[in-house]
Amino acid sequence: MQTNALFHQPFGAYAFPVAPHTLCVRLRAARGDLQSAHVLYADRYSPLGQDRVAAMDLLDYDSEFDYFQAFLTLPQPRFRYLFHLDDGRSQVWYSQGGVLSNPPNTWHRHFEYAFIMPANLYSVPEWAKHAVFYSIFPDRFANGDPANDPPGCHPWRVEPGEDEPAVYRSFFGGDLEGIIQRLPYLQELGVTALYLTPIFLSPSVHKYDTTDYYQIDRHFGDLETARRLVDRCHAAGMRVVLDAVFNHCGQEFFAFQDVLKRGARSLYLRWFELHGLPVQTDPPNYTTFANGVSRMPKLMTANPEVRLYLLQVARYWTQTLGIDGWRLDVANEVDPQFWREFRQTVRSVNPEALIVGEVMTRADAWLQGDQFDSVMNYPFRQACLDFFATDTIRADEFAARLARLRAAYASPVHQVLWNLLDSHDTPRFRTECREAAERQGGAAVGHSRDRQALAAILQLTYEGAPLIYYGDEVGMEGGGDPDCRRPMIWEESRQDQELLTLYRRLVALRKELPPLRCGCYRALVRDGLRNVFAFWRGPAAEGGEPRPAAGPPVVVVLNNHPLAQQVEVPLPQEAGCAAASGQWQVEVSWPLAAREAIMLPEAGAAASGREAGEHQGARMDRLKPGGSILSLQMPAYGGAVLVRRP
């Protein structure tokens, strides 16, 4: 047994409560090493020898490790536990004392989770588990009130090729009234929550250099307009999340201006990290956002005065507008104690407020339940970029990337992670696909929209909360910042109507089927040779984590390959996929016209006892007798979402 690969810790993503009396425990082991894993557990205060036994299920695996999971329930939620592991050649016990040949003779050498208290439970807002988010850069979405346009606005339509930075750093006149007027479009798309980049007073287009945290930027509207937007959204069943820029302010912010004018006599001297007096802005002799961005002085959020000011800002807008949450800019550069106080402040006003951090790497430290509910899931984006757009990883490695991410966070977090393909800070996904296809040539040319479509199918059916960047649904393009912030295309003749139809169908299906919003996930096919990836969404198995996901099981199949291929998808009986009643139907397909041709007549052939995916070299999800196979004819760069209907 490869004991050096074993890992568990009694906290974080490896031990977390999912109910007042139920603890989820996870174990990492070398891939393919264990034939079985069990947890022996009991009340911390019960005598040895009175342990209950729970079999561990294989949660997922990557190229190096298997990740096992079990759920432990006790009347008194105080746990001691250890693992019994069998690789077919030897059996060991794994506990706080390490790897042992015999069970420890004292409970002090067991792992412990002392007590599940209410504060230990992840308080993720229920609405966010069911949301489809839409990200809006206000200056570029819609101009609803030309009277508030800044001087020198560019005309809304920018022709292809007119993409020099000077243009895209200029104003186009988008505003809050424009968002209000386009709410019917967003309702038809089916989104249920809006995320707006900053709307407070600032001299720039992007508004990440705040001048006044208590004033709506006059070129976007005023307080009454903002209230009307939030009220209209709520009336339409949409939530509103605003952007909080608390890592830094703008150069015109009153406190920084006071430091510039009064120097050592300023009351706000310690709000900033100064490297000398007098303060100089060119080059800056103070700490800024990024490197030497003089117009964005960094705020010292460890300073109690700064914390108090910003917490009052958060409380004011949460109360005044009745917003539903905050997205936190540059969250990993802010004092973590500030975020803990921020969470308490915001939740005291709105207990269902969603708190999302901008952390572009794995964010374990911020997702322990005391700071953020979610983060912008950039590792998810990178995996999608590498698999669908640039073709630098194959389906097996793509599945492994997702597996590592799933093992990194507690499952309540996964239900609300913002799964994005692009943002106002990245190139458009469609552009990444096109440029990669042009570099590859051959069969890849002409399939850039197909690759985006496959990524969209995954984004809107995978575990977590999809975040659509405005215009992706109509095929908008754009390179790196600021080119990714082009004005929204509203002329239907310039929109990709087939892609828009795909997005609408996917969103509608996600809203219809609870398993797509809060069901469990299992990889079914991860074929690196033929580049096919398939997965299942459905309710938890008996004895597993409780999830309110009643509804038919769903299977998603993605053929990320320039050739049409016949694909066999093994269906595990224990997941409810192989029920005797009902039949599988293709609810959404790409291309849209392929819907009727994907299912083959021999779909549902028996697979008695055969190991799922063995023809792809996969090892997960062994079929029990009575399992079945879905046989599909997948078009080149084609995707399908199948639902078992009664």
Side-chain angles (χ1 to χ4, degrees), residues 485-533:
R485 304 168 180 178
R486 298 181 186 181
M488 174 67 177
I489 297 174
W490 289 113
E491 303 96 319
E492 291 187 6
S493 61
R494 298 177 60 214
Q495 295 177 339
D496 187 332
Q497 291 295 318
E498 188 176 17
L499 188 67
L500 178 58
T501 299
L502 175 70
Y503 271 86
R504 286 172 174 165
R505 289 182 181 176
L506 288 169
V507 173
L509 194 64
R510 187 179 183 91
K511 293 169 74 173
E512 175 195 347
L513 301 178
L516 287 180
R517 303 193 303 274
C518 49
C520 294
Y521 158 92
R522 179 181 297 181
L524 299 177
V525 178
R526 46 179 90 197
D527 188 343
L529 180 63
R530 299 191 299 159
N531 226 23
V532 175
F533 178 60

Side-chain angles (χ1 to χ4, degrees), residues 13 26 48 64 70 111 131 141 146 184 203 237 250 266 272 333 337 344 366 458 499 506 591:
R26 291 175 177 171
L48 293 177
E64 297 180 276
F111 290 110
F141 186 65
S266 174
F272 308 95
E333 296 185 23
Q337 182 56 34
Q344 294 171 356
W366 294 272
L458 176 82
L499 188 67
L506 288 169

Side-chain angles (χ1 to χ4, degrees), residues 40-53 79-82 93 95 100 102-112:
L40 282 75
Y41 67 101
D43 187 305
R44 291 175 63 229
Y45 297 109
S46 64
L48 293 177
Q50 297 185 8
D51 296 349
R52 307 183 186 196
V53 179
F79 298 83
R80 62 169 170 82
Y81 57 94
L82 71 160
W93 302 84
S95 72
L100 307 170
N102 294 293
N105 57 8
T106 171
W107 65 269
H108 293 290
R109 300 189 72 185
H110 289 59
F111 290 110
E112 291 188 18

